[in-house]
């Protein structure tokens, strides 16, 4: 990972913890039905980091409350990963396509809220590559996060997850940071 990538990752984690510390006074149970839309950043890990620098995209997530602290989730998004410069040069030299194809992850899962606003979640589904090289991979992602309410109907959802896409062409793995705006009615 490049030096700037390490600093970006550290900055994002520090920002997450400062935001959580500033908002920790917000109490109440965040386990209620809501929908959120947000921005996603991906920081490749393992072998994936040897091919890609970072990823970015957007996602929509719906939550349906089934118990006092548990929500079922469904999400869809769009992500693109940027090739590392050395990989892009090698692909160019060999006459291969260097334009990154987008990926459409679609997942179902569950969120467990603890201490009111904090949550742990797990989602599984499929990650579908779009463009020239259409393929489908098994997708999984455990998440830790916080829901920061602005009012009874609006809030921010901030989550840090590890995500993997495993298919016949190999595996892509990354840490994902999602910052989303949520709408839903807290009882």
């Amino acid at each position: 990972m490049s030096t700037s990538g390490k600093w970006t990752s550290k900055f994002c984690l520090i920002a997450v913890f400062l935001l959580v510390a500033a908002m920790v006074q917000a109490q109440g149970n965040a386990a209620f039905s809501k929908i959120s839309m947000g921005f996603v950043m991906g920081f490749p890990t393992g072998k994936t980091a040897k091919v890609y620098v970072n990823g970015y995209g957007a996602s929509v997530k719906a939550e349906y409350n089934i118990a006092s602290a548990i929500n079922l989730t469904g999400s869809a998004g769009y992500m693109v990963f940027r090739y590392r410069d050395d990989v892009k040069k090698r692909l160019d030299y060999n006459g291969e396509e260097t334009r990154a194809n987008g990926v459409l992850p679609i997942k179902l899962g569950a969120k467990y809220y603890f201490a009111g606003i904090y949550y742990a979640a797990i989602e599984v589904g499929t990650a579908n590559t779009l463009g020239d090289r259409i393929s489908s991979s098994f997708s999984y992602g455990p998440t830790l996060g916080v829901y920061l309410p602005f009012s009874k109907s609006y809030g921010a959802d901030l989550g840090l997850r590890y995500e993997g896409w495993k298919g016949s062409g190999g595996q892509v793995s990354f840490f994902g940071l999602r910052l989303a705006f949520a709408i839903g009615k807290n009882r």
Side-chain angles (χ1 to χ4, degrees), residues 60-96:
V60 175
K61 181 175 295 210
E63 298 183 35
Y64 181 74
N65 185 245
I66 61 167
S68 65
I70 299 174
N71 284 0
L72 292 180
T73 64
S75 64
Y78 179 79
M79 285 199 71
V80 175
F81 281 89
R82 285 187 329 117
Y83 285 115
R84 296 177 59 87
D85 288 338
D86 58 325
V87 172
K88 191 171 185 175
K89 286 178 187 174
R90 188 174 62 238
L91 291 171
D92 274 336
Y93 180 77
N94 292 329
E96 295 182 41

Side-chain angles (χ1 to χ4, degrees), residues 150-173:
F150 302 139
S151 71
K152 286 190 178 230
S153 299
Y154 304 105
D157 187 340
L158 186 60
L160 179 64
R161 73 177 180 277
Y162 172 81
E163 188 159 337
W165 301 336
K166 189 170 178 107
S168 59
Q171 179 163 337
V172 171
S173 59

Side-chain angles (χ1 to χ4, degrees), residues 5-70:
K6 288 180 182 177
W7 283 106
T8 302
S9 298
K10 289 178 183 177
F11 175 76
C12 288
L13 288 174
I14 291 169
V16 167
F17 289 118
L18 289 176
L19 186 60
V20 170
M23 299 294 290
V24 79
Q25 293 175 340
Q27 294 299 316
N29 189 355
F32 57 90
S33 297
K34 61 181 98 46
I35 188 164
S36 61
M37 297 161 278
F39 177 73
V40 179
M41 287 202 55
F43 305 97
T45 62
K47 292 180 181 178
T48 305
K50 294 178 181 177
V51 178
Y52 300 107
V53 178
N54 58 26
Y56 54 92
S59 68
V60 175
K61 181 175 295 210
E63 298 183 35
Y64 181 74
N65 185 245
I66 61 167
S68 65
I70 299 174

Side-chain angles (χ1 to χ4, degrees), residues 139-153:
S139 172
Y140 58 93
T143 304
L144 291 175
V146 61
Y147 176 77
L148 304 168
F150 302 139
S151 71
K152 286 190 178 230
S153 299

